[in-house]
Structure formats: structure tokens, C-alpha cells
Amino acid sequence: AQSVTQLDSQVPVFEEAPVELRCNYSSSVSVYLFWYVQYPNQGLQLLLKYLSGSTLVKGINGFEAEFNKSQTSFHLRKPSVHISDTAEYFCAVTKGSYQKVTFGTGTKLQVIP
Amino acid sequence: GAGVSQSPSNKVTEKGKDVELRCDPISGHTALYWYRQRLGQGLEFLIYFQGNSAPDKSGLPSDRFSAERTGESVSTLTIQRTQQEDSAVYLCASSLGADHYNEQFFGPGTRLTVL
């Protein structure tokens, strides 16, 4: 069975500071990893994904994530956050097509002016 | 093109009543998912359709919950004899099949309130 752990339920950070949102997964097979963002009162949208190839993945709005197989992690980073980045971020994992996607419990990023 | 749509956007019902939630996926998407998001919590997987069949129903909380999909398109999630703990936002997502590794496109959700 696969699982996803987002240890930080809330992360406050000052505007223009860097941020890292942590995601660890467990799976006995190769996986595909995603980060989704949910802005206040909106639906989820895909931020970035890792399928194969380069372990550093760049997404929208200046976010990037690095797949680390040995540490089973897929942490999300941004070098300088904006107020508009205030949202909830979900990490997700799947074993592939036609497979269930498991989501983490989410991390609320609060950017402080 | 049109995204995933869900109806109604809000539903208030009395405890014990049945409710039906509808999801219209993106045209051509063969996979369809239902999730529940309780206030302040993460996404809870309910059920997944590939075409019209549901290979994974493991997330349905009880036998009061059921779902169906027809024509590889519209899906309905039915909750019978609703309870207050069923209050949540119910999210639907769809994705293309093979070679798209389950990138999901989410609808806006249906907010269910059971009084």
C-alpha cells in the first residue's frame, strides 16, 4: 500500500522569504508524485508533477520540487514567496495509470506581510 | 474546453434524507474520482471509476454511500439516510487514461451540510 505524509500542517513564512513544504511517501514500487494547490474558496489545481527523468521538477508560480528516491521525499520549494502563495498544498502519489491516487493531509502555507 | 463541473454547488439537507451529487467530467476522460474533504482536513478518497466500472471502492465510508457512472461520462454519488458527519465538500476529479499518470483535474466541489 502507498501512503503520503505531510508532517507540517501549517507553515507561516514572511513575504519574500524562502519556503520548503515537506512530503514523504512510502511505496514498494516506483511511483509518480504530484503537488496540488488549493487557494481559498477554490478547487485544487496541479502545481507540478514528477513522472520520470530529471529529479528536479519545475512548476507554475516559481515552485519546484525535488524527487529523492533514497529518502522517499518530494519536498516543495520556492525561493521567495508572495502573499498570493497563501493556500493549502497537497502532495499526492500514485503507482501509475488506472491506479488510485493517495493524497497527503495538506500543508497550509500562510505568507505574512 | 470545459472543465469538470459538479452540481449542486451547495446542498443543505436534513438528517435522514437521501442526497444525490452529480459530476460531469472533462469529455474524453476515462477515469473519474470522488473525494471527501471535511472542514480543515485533507482529501479522503471515496471511489474511483475507470470507464463505467469501479475497480476501487475501498474508500466508501459505509453502505449508505454508493456511486455509479454511465456512458463513461456523468457520475452520481448517492448518500442515503444522511448523518451530520457526512457534512463536507465532495470533490470530483477526472483524468485521461494511459500515459497520463493520473494527473487529475478537479471540479469546484459540492458543499453538503446535514442539519
Side-chain angles (χ1 to χ4, degrees), chain B residues 5-28:
Chain B
S5 61
Q6 292 186 246
S7 60
S9 55
N10 280 282
K11 177 72 177 178
V12 180
T13 190
E14 293 179 348
K15 178 181 173 181
K17 300 282 190 183
D18 297 351
V19 295
E20 190 172 278
L21 312 180
R22 177 186 168 108
C23 173
D24 285 87
I26 293 172
S27 178

Side-chain angles (χ1 to χ4, degrees), chain A residues 34 36 49 96 98-99 101, chain B residues 37 48 50 101-104:
Chain A
F34 304 82
Y36 284 84
K49 60 184 176 182
Y98 305 105
Q99 300 289 328
V101 177
Chain B
Q37 187 177 27
Y48 151 60
Q50 178 55 47
Y101 304 105
N102 281 347
E103 175 180 345
Q104 297 185 28

Side-chain angles (χ1 to χ4, degrees), chain A residues 26-84:
Chain A
S26 67
S27 175
S28 58
V29 298
S30 296
V31 295
Y32 307 99
L33 295 149
F34 304 82
W35 276 99
Y36 284 84
V37 59
Q38 186 175 31
Y39 296 104
N41 300 314
Q42 295 186 29
L44 278 80
Q45 62 185 85
L46 183 68
L47 200 56
L48 49 78
K49 60 184 176 182
Y50 171 78
L51 303 181
S52 65
S54 173
T55 56
L56 183 63
V57 180
K58 294 189 183 297
I60 60 172
N61 301 336
F63 282 92
E64 63 182 31
E66 186 159 17
F67 170 59
N68 188 319
K69 188 175 181 179
S70 62
Q71 296 187 6
T72 60
S73 69
F74 190 55
H75 301 331
L76 182 70
R77 302 185 183 102
K78 187 170 182 178
S80 175
V81 296
H82 300 130
I83 294 291
S84 59

Side-chain angles (χ1 to χ4, degrees), chain B residues 30-49:
Chain B
T30 59
L32 186 148
Y33 302 78
W34 283 100
Y35 296 91
R36 178 169 69 179
Q37 187 177 27
R38 287 188 166 126
L39 186 64
Q41 299 186 24
L43 275 72
E44 178 185 357
F45 169 80
L46 297 179
I47 189 170
Y48 151 60
F49 287 92

